Amino acid sequence: MAQRPTDNIGKYLHNFPGGLKLRHHKALSCCKPLPARYLPLSTEYCIPVSQHLGQPAEVVVSVGQQVKKGQALSTPGKTGNAPGAFVHAPTSGEITAIEKRPVPHPSGLNSLCIVLQPDGKDRWVELEPVDDYRKLDCDELIQRVQAAGIVGLGGAVFPTDIKLQGTSCLINTLILNGVECEPYISCDETLMKQAPGKIIEGALILCHVFKIEKVIIAIEDPMDVCNLELEQSISEFNAGDCVEVIRVPMLYPEGGERQLIQVLSGHEVPAGQLPISLGILVQNVATVAAIRDAVIDGIPLIERLVTVTGAGIREPQNVHARIGTPIADLVDFCGGYTAGIARLVMGGPLMGLGLRNDQLPIIKASNCVLALTHADITSTQPEMPCINCGNCVSVCPAGLLPQTLQTVIRAENFEALESLNLDACIECGCCDYVCPSHIPLVDYFRYGKGEQRAQAKEKQESDIARLRFERREQRLEKQQAERLARHQRRKRALAGSSSKKDSVAAAIARAKARKQVLAANQPDTNSETGKGENS
Amino acid sequence: MTAAVIILTLLALIFGLALGYAAIRFRIEGNPVADEIEAILPQTQCAQCGYPGCRPYAEAIAAEEAEINRCPPGGEAGIKQLAELLGKDIIPLDADVGIEKALPEVAIIHEDVCIGCTKCIQACPVDAILGAAKQMHTVIATECTGCELCIPPCPVDCIDMIPTKIDITNWHWGKPIPITTISEIADTRGEEVA
Ligand code: SF4
Ligand code: SF4
Ligand code: SF4
């Protein structure tokens, strides 16, 4: 049998190009206390309807309605093929508003949110647990995952059901991504320590349904306690023959899907293709735990572990927060801000999103709330011209040429971006971090990607417009031709009848002529008699 | 000497025949330059360029009868692409034909005013208006190219152009504004300290 890319996966570790060694700052928040505490009920939850890419979802509740914990509030829109996901009520209570509110999004625009006022009883809807997951087939599992509103919890928030749908039976290896490579964030590590069983069980469900032969749980080198917990749990589930924990060296951004695959298998996922092309499925550990909850207990995704950390927070820790909780409540729970707070970020320090205030809700993508102090951030530096030092090229984990990309985007030469593979940029920020000229490279790349996408959409729309225009022209031409044909037929018909008239006229003329001839032949008699008669 | 002449003549003949054959055998149907130009034009079909649609304008450019700066919806970016394709200089948009809109627009029919005369349907180049005689009409927003051709025929002036809304589904990052001057830096620092 031919060698598959996954045959030797995990046997030796490989390298990906570039990457940065960063101070990880995880001890600040990790595992104080373990297990992580649950946030008390907030006074109001604001649940954004679109927490993912694509079309906004369809709201299925109305203002004033009483909902129970776990009840679906919106369904993925029916329109189009864009991915969408269900969102659910984080607790029981009343829907007080469905309106546009500020959400954590780089645009700073408001987006449709469902506002829920808890009644304090926290009553669940009727849950539908599965007693034996071995009876589930592929479609049932995907349907359950969809109904539970599960999305990738590593940060990409791509709907998991859609990722699984493309998977079917083509994969033989599942990689559980526990490599939380961005500094400060420790929610996955906390999860692996406090509930390793959930992760293993979730992995076994996926293994069973998709006939996966091998599971690799990838964790970072310093997470040694995790290793023990996971091993113990693996032996509890008797899964030692197919599940393996592998420690990978600490290097940012090793937690990127493609980078992790490259480290474990030595193979690069071809540009423009998905890991499936190598027979690999990568899932974040928290996503797999959520799949387990959805399948075994029937619980939808209504809460997640969030790391609240940074020197700007008094008691950094991980907390279980419901989706829709205001960030301010998390901060209060963790003792509030310290005096030097300068910046609030959702996500990590490299890829995170700066927030304007703390009244925004926690969404499914919020893995971390990071409060930085003045000491942590370098003040903004002026942007200098690129000196072609090549630092950015040597750290880019995707093997791109950031300085070339940057020049091309600055010149707005978006057509050239395709050949430079901008799509492969994972926006990790490594190039930005090392650039001695302080060029905001990632900002340029995001702009370039946005323009590329907008232009592709415009192209698509103009193609449709051209088609419609051509069809209309054809139709008009056809109608014109038909009209002409009709006219001609009628004219011919008219011409036909007029020739009849002519023949009639001719006949009359002929008759007249004959008469005249006759009259000429006997002029005298006729005229005389006539005259005589007349007189 | 004669040998050289004969050889050269023969060679010229052979190549001439080969080229002549190739010209017939590999002939391209249609007008490939016009096709490429048309691919760049935005297909708004608004006729602002003075031609009855994007295709006729493309053909006119290909025949060098028209300048490349007569398409307001295509705007600066379109002119740039055309200039690149045709190896011409980038020139500013001809002010006589119109101005480039900041945001794409779509038509909307005020349905309570519409009298159902069907005049706009006949004007729309892409069949984006739905309606029937004495019935209320409406614009299919996703198909509308924003050409404004339906506005003048409307006897009760009930058609308006509205800019497309930006929300989080179609928003994208803008071009970074580089911080270069000392006062700008001071500004940002001031903000951070505050
Ligand atoms: S942000 Fe993009 S270009 Fe820059 S290092 Fe990361 S992957 Fe490479
Ligand atoms: S690191 Fe900055 S200065 Fe150096 S080559 Fe890259 S973009 Fe240019
Ligand atoms: S609806 Fe009006 S503006 Fe829109 S494409 Fe048709 S004619 Fe042009």
Side-chain angles (χ1 to χ4, degrees):
Chain A
M1 204 176 121
Q3 176 112 356
R4 296 177 307 182
T6 48
D7 278 350
N8 281 325
I9 193 163
K11 212 175 253 176
Y12 315 101
L13 293 182
H14 306 260
N15 281 323
F16 63 90
L20 288 175
K21 278 209 156 45
L22 301 169
R23 285 181 53 201
H24 69 2
H25 295 286
K26 297 207 193 235
L28 213 56
S29 60
C30 193
C31 310
K32 320 166 163 173
L34 196 74
R37 286 184 292 167
Y38 284 80
L39 222 59
L41 275 182
S42 300
T43 47
E44 191 181 79
Y45 291 92
C46 169
I47 307 119
V49 167
S50 340
Q51 304 190 9
H52 41 73
L53 292 172
Q55 296 296 313
E58 225 167 288
V59 179
V60 292
V61 288
S62 49
V63 177
Q65 189 177 337
Q66 296 290 332
V67 293
K68 289 194 175 149
K69 185 178 179 181
Q71 184 175 340
L73 298 180
S74 78
T75 62
K78 285 187 211 112
T79 47
N81 45 9
F86 280 89
V87 298
H88 301 85
T91 180
S92 60
E94 185 186 332
I95 308 290
T96 50
I98 300 175
E99 61 188 16
K100 290 206 165 180
R101 292 223 178 165
V103 293
H105 189 268
S107 67
L109 293 168
N110 291 2
S111 174
L112 195 65
C113 294
I114 299 173
V115 184
L116 176 83
Q117 181 121 41
D119 58 10
K121 298 191 186 117
D122 217 18
R123 271 173 314 187
W124 277 99
V125 284
E126 194 88 26
L127 296 178
E128 291 169 20
V130 169
D131 25 295
D132 189 2
Y133 69 80
R134 286 174 196 85
K135 289 184 197 139
L136 282 181
D137 69 12
C138 217
D139 293 339
E140 279 167 341
L141 177 86
I142 289 172
Q143 197 260 325
R144 265 185 173 265
V145 167
Q146 186 192 23
I150 296 175
V151 297
L153 294 176
V157 285
F158 190 78
T160 305
D161 54 298
I162 295 175
K163 191 166 177 179
L164 292 179
Q165 240 159 36
T167 306
S168 58
C169 298
L170 300 166
I171 45 167
N172 46 51
T173 306
L174 170 66
I175 298 178
L176 296 188
N177 189 347
V179 186
E180 213 165 25
C181 57
E182 210 172 345
Y184 287 102
I185 308 175
S186 62
C187 55
D188 288 348
E189 187 174 353
T190 307
L191 179 77
M192 287 190 281
K193 281 184 192 159
Q194 75 178 38
K198 280 192 179 185
I199 298 168
I200 308 293
E201 211 173 351
L204 291 178
I205 294 173
L206 288 178
C207 273
H208 168 77
V209 173
F210 293 107
K211 318 261 177 307
I212 293 166
E213 299 155 20
K214 190 168 182 181
V215 180
I216 292 175
I217 305 179
I219 61 171
E220 271 193 317
D221 233 353
M223 303 180 181
D224 34 8
V225 191
C226 278
N227 196 352
L228 296 179
E229 305 275 348
L230 287 166
E231 294 289 3
Q232 198 180 342
S233 175
I234 290 171
S235 53
E236 268 167 35
F237 279 96
N238 273 333
D241 48 346
C242 71
V243 185
E244 189 185 352
V245 181
I246 293 183
R247 284 159 61 167
V248 296
M250 210 178 80
L251 191 63
Y252 178 80
E254 198 156 52
E257 198 169 78
R258 286 163 193 259
Q259 283 66 36
L260 187 57
I261 290 174
Q262 200 168 353
V263 166
L264 291 173
S265 74
H267 290 270
E268 245 182 289
V269 181
Q273 290 188 28
L274 296 172
I276 287 187
S277 61
L278 298 182
I280 298 173
L281 173 69
V282 183
Q283 290 286 0
N284 177 273
V285 284
T287 315
V288 174
I291 292 177
R292 182 247 165 230
D293 282 349
V295 172
I296 309 267
D297 299 332
I299 298 178
L301 183 65
I302 53 167
E303 56 151 53
R304 64 160 300 149
L305 263 170
V306 182
T307 309
V308 185
T309 184
I313 300 283
R314 273 186 214 286
E315 300 160 20
Q317 57 187 282
N318 281 280
V319 292
H320 286 277
R322 300 172 202 237
I323 309 296
T325 313
I327 287 173
D329 286 10
L330 271 76
V331 174
D332 285 348
F333 187 75
C334 300
Y337 299 112
T338 57
I341 165 105
R343 189 175 290 173
L344 193 62
V345 177
M346 193 187 98
L350 280 110
M351 298 176 80
L353 165 69
L355 301 179
R356 292 176 192 205
N357 61 47
D358 57 10
Q359 293 308 311
L360 302 166
I362 289 287
I363 55 176
K364 290 177 186 176
S366 321
N367 47 4
C368 180
V369 171
L370 175 62
L372 296 169
T373 57
H374 289 291
D376 298 321
I377 46 181
T378 50
S379 51
T380 313
Q381 300 283 331
E383 179 182 331
M384 306 293 272
C386 170
I387 53 169
N388 278 322
C389 63
N391 282 1
C392 50
V393 181
S394 59
V395 296
C396 177
L400 303 178
L401 301 172
Q403 91 275 45
T404 315
L405 281 167
Q406 173 262 133
T407 350
V408 167
I409 294 173
R410 220 183 271 245
E412 306 195 358
N413 185 4
F414 301 113
E415 294 79 47
L417 292 177
E418 193 113 17
S419 54
L420 289 170
N421 244 330
L422 178 64
D423 281 342
C425 167
I426 57 168
E427 298 176 22
C428 64
C430 287
C431 49
D432 227 325
Y433 186 88
V434 298
C435 178
S437 289
H438 310 292
I439 301 174
L441 291 160
V442 178
D443 289 358
Y444 279 104
F445 302 157
R446 285 176 174 158
Y447 163 61
K449 283 185 185 179
E451 279 295 326
Q452 240 184 339
R453 232 169 290 143
Q455 284 189 358
K457 190 160 160 270
E458 248 167 54
K459 181 94 195 49
Q460 205 182 352
E461 281 171 357
S462 82
D463 281 345
I464 294 174
R466 180 188 304 128
L467 200 72
R468 289 179 76 88
F469 179 68
E470 280 169 6
R471 294 237 172 102
R472 179 171 185 272
E473 293 284 282
Q474 276 168 12
R475 195 187 67 223
L476 291 183
E477 244 167 58
K478 206 171 129 209
Q479 280 174 353
Q480 179 81 13
E482 273 170 15
R483 218 177 5 246
L484 257 177
R486 232 182 5 245
H487 268 208
Q488 243 145 29
R489 241 180 290 134
R490 194 163 310 142
K491 251 195 213 148
R492 229 178 295 125
L494 277 175
S497 59
S498 68
S499 66
K500 228 182 267 166
K501 253 185 235 158
D502 287 350
S503 62
V504 173
I508 295 170
R510 249 178 286 134
K512 270 189 187 158
R514 222 181 2 238
K515 255 190 205 162
Q516 271 169 8
V517 172
L518 277 176
N521 282 351
Q522 322 159 321
D524 310 326
T525 48
N526 268 359
S527 60
E528 270 167 24
T529 47
K531 267 174 198 169
E533 271 167 18
N534 280 343
S535 53
Chain B
M1 172 66 194
T2 33
V5 170
I6 292 169
I7 290 172
L8 280 178
T9 323
L10 272 178
L11 273 177
L13 225 103
I14 293 169
F15 283 125
L17 282 176
L19 282 174
Y21 172 73
I24 296 163
R25 175 75 177 71
F26 301 111
R27 190 194 180 88
I28 298 172
E29 291 300 325
N31 189 344
V33 183
D35 285 347
E36 272 182 67
I37 296 173
E38 200 196 357
I40 294 173
L41 296 178
Q43 303 302 319
T44 312
Q45 314 293 359
C46 61
Q48 287 182 81
C49 50
Y51 294 85
C54 299
R55 178 77 205 178
Y57 179 42
E59 273 159 12
I61 297 178
E64 309 225 355
E65 286 162 7
E67 280 293 349
I68 56 172
N69 64 345
R70 300 187 58 83
C71 176
E76 245 176 75
I79 294 174
K80 206 170 125 205
Q81 271 178 290
L82 286 174
E84 231 158 69
L85 174 72
L86 302 168
K88 293 194 173 177
D89 289 336
I90 297 175
I91 41 179
L93 186 68
D94 191 338
D96 299 340
V97 289
I99 45 163
E100 185 180 357
K101 288 177 192 165
L103 270 181
E105 293 182 338
V106 289
I108 185 169
I109 294 181
H110 294 287
E111 300 177 342
D112 40 352
V113 188
C114 173
I115 53 169
C117 68
T118 75
K119 288 214 161 68
C120 55
I121 297 190
Q122 292 157 30
C124 179
V126 291
D127 287 334
I129 302 181
L130 209 63
K134 304 231 175 85
Q135 306 287 320
M136 183 192 76
H137 289 35
T138 193
V139 175
I140 310 169
T142 49
E143 311 288 5
C144 172
T145 64
C147 70
E148 300 190 4
L149 289 181
C150 50
I151 293 183
C154 179
V156 287
D157 284 339
C158 70
I159 307 179
D160 251 342
M161 302 302 293
I162 47 169
T164 42
K165 267 198 222 96
I166 302 262
D167 57 19
I168 64 171
T169 55
N170 61 4
W171 172 90
H172 70 75
W173 288 85
K175 191 167 187 171
I177 303 161
I179 294 169
T180 43
T181 66
I182 291 172
S183 62
E184 275 172 353
I185 300 160
D187 272 358
T188 54
R189 285 191 184 159
E191 246 183 52
E192 275 172 18
V193 175

